[in-house]
């Protein structure tokens, strides 16, 4: 997992053409961009979404084929990242949605607030839960999630 400033992306990813393409696309996306799925190429697409944060969201997930690059356009949300021994698989991995879902077994996690100007990158096996309201203040956020084929990192 990576959590950092968007402007520092080169520090994390160097001269990667993959990330160059993502961060060239980013200024074209705004709060007025319609919610939906957009394709950059055959290995990268992104989702623009709006949703309300929750005091106690229940979705805890991980992926195998895709790396998530999550960026907030408006609002803020708390994200929790769990160790494998802190969760139990509730829905086994399904290739069609590249997700495996979990329930909490013990309160062992790292948390941070994703706000405009920051990014969170979740690699396969990073078990994460989004949508938490910061300081229990529910709000509607606008967010981008770039989905990058994991093979671009390992091959």
């Amino acid at each position: 997992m990576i959590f950092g400033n968007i402007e520092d992306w080169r520090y994390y990813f160097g001269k990667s053409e993959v990330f160059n393409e993502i961060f060239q696309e980013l200024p074209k996306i705004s709060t007025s961009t319609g919610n939906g799925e957009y394709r950059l190429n055959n290995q990268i697409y992104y989702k623009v979404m709006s949703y309300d944060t929750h005091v106690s969201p229940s979705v805890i997930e991980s992926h195998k084929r895709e790396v998530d690059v999550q960026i907030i356009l408006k609002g803020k949300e708390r994200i929790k990242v769990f160790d494998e021994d802190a969760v139990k698989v509730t829905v086994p991995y399904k290739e069609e949605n590249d997700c495996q879902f979990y329930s909490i077994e013990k309160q062992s996690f790292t948390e941070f607030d994703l706000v405009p100007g920051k990014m969170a990158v979740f690699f396969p096996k990073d078990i994460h839960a989004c949508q938490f309201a910061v300081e229990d203040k529910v709000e509607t956020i606008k967010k981008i999630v770039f989905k990058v084929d994991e093979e671009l990192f390992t091959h």
Side-chain angles (χ1 to χ4, degrees):
M1 183 203 63
I2 296 172
F3 174 65
N5 294 318
I6 292 170
E7 65 190 28
D8 295 336
W9 73 268
R10 282 187 178 86
Y11 175 78
Y12 301 108
F13 305 112
K15 297 182 182 194
S16 163
E17 288 185 36
V18 171
F19 284 91
N20 188 45
E21 192 167 356
I22 288 172
F23 289 98
Q24 282 181 351
E25 183 73 11
L26 188 57
K28 301 173 189 174
I29 306 166
S30 71
T31 55
S32 62
T33 302
N35 289 341
E37 193 171 292
Y38 302 83
R39 187 152 290 282
L40 283 179
N41 59 45
N42 64 345
Q43 293 180 303
I44 304 169
Y45 66 98
Y46 62 94
K47 297 177 179 181
V48 177
M49 58 190 86
S50 299
Y51 56 80
D52 291 336
T53 58
H54 303 276
V55 174
S56 297
S58 60
V59 177
I60 304 168
E61 65 182 9
S62 68
H63 312 288
K64 289 187 180 181
R65 285 191 336 266
E66 297 172 333
V67 173
D68 281 2
V69 179
Q70 299 191 11
I71 296 170
I72 296 282
L73 294 171
K74 180 186 104 182
K76 58 187 173 267
E77 75 176 335
R78 183 154 294 152
I79 297 177
K80 296 181 180 184
V81 181
F82 295 85
D83 292 331
E84 277 188 82
D85 66 346
V87 295
K88 175 183 168 187
V89 174
T90 55
V91 179
Y93 179 77
K94 292 183 181 173
E95 194 168 326
E96 60 270 11
N97 66 354
D98 188 40
C99 274
Q100 180 162 289
F101 296 98
Y102 305 84
S103 63
I104 298 172
E105 289 289 294
K106 59 182 175 179
Q107 294 294 323
S108 177
F109 55 82
T110 300
E111 65 183 0
F112 58 89
D113 295 342
L114 191 57
V115 299
K118 298 285 188 183
M119 68 175 170
V121 181
F122 298 106
F123 296 94
K125 295 199 174 221
D126 286 334
I127 301 167
H128 55 283
C130 302
Q131 301 183 359
F132 282 89
V134 175
E135 298 176 10
D136 293 339
K137 294 180 183 165
V138 173
E139 67 177 305
T140 300
I141 67 167
K142 184 115 183 188
K143 180 178 185 177
I144 311 163
V145 179
F146 285 93
K147 299 290 213 168
V148 181
D149 190 321
E150 179 272 336
E151 287 188 358
L152 293 172
F153 293 92
T154 58
H155 300 294

